[in-house]
Structures are given as structure tokens and as C-alpha cells.
Amino acid sequence: MRKVFVLSRYHGLKIKEIARQLELSQKTVEKYLSRVLKGLKECLIYKELLSFLLIFSFFMDFFSK
């Protein structure tokens, strides 16, 4: 999946080109890209939530003194 993502996003290849280069079906390439993007989205949401909680706890601590 990593190779598919790199070829798509960093090298700008189309799904058809990636499938041909890696000897995969186009559906497999689409599925891999979908999974990677979903995982990245979930990771970013989790990191944003952690950042918010850290900032919120800092302000709560700061204003409670």
C-alpha cells in the first residue's frame, strides 16, 4: 500500500499506470489508496484531538492558579 501511495501522491502516477507498474489490478490500487487515505485521515483527527486536549489542559491549569 505504501508503494501505491508514493507512486500516486509523490510521483503523480494515475491508477492505471500504478497498476501496470506494480502488476496489480486497478481495483486493487483503488482499494489500497482508499485504505491509506482513510488511515491518514483517522490519524490526523486523532492528533488534532490530542493537540486540543493538551492546549485545553494548559489553559485550565493556567487559569486555575
Side-chain angles (χ1 to χ4, degrees):
M1 284 193 290
R2 180 181 293 164
K3 284 183 182 181
V4 168
F5 180 78
V6 168
L7 290 172
S8 171
R9 296 305 192 253
Y10 292 109
H11 297 281
L13 297 180
K14 306 283 187 218
I15 290 174
K16 193 174 191 176
E17 296 167 325
I18 297 169
R20 190 175 333 119
Q21 185 173 338
L22 298 179
E23 298 178 355
L24 300 170
S25 73
Q26 289 183 30
K27 288 287 186 187
T28 300
V29 172
E30 291 171 1
K31 188 184 339 177
Y32 285 178
L33 278 175
S34 176
R35 286 181 185 172
V36 168
L37 293 174
K38 181 180 177 185
L40 286 173
K41 182 179 177 182
E42 289 172 359
C43 183
L44 288 173
I45 289 171
Y46 180 73
K47 285 184 178 184
E48 288 176 7
L49 178 61
L50 284 178
S51 297
F52 172 76
L53 291 174
L54 286 171
I55 292 169
F56 182 74
S57 66
F58 170 77
F59 280 110
M60 291 302 291
D61 186 50
F62 181 76
F63 288 114
S64 66
K65 292 182 180 184

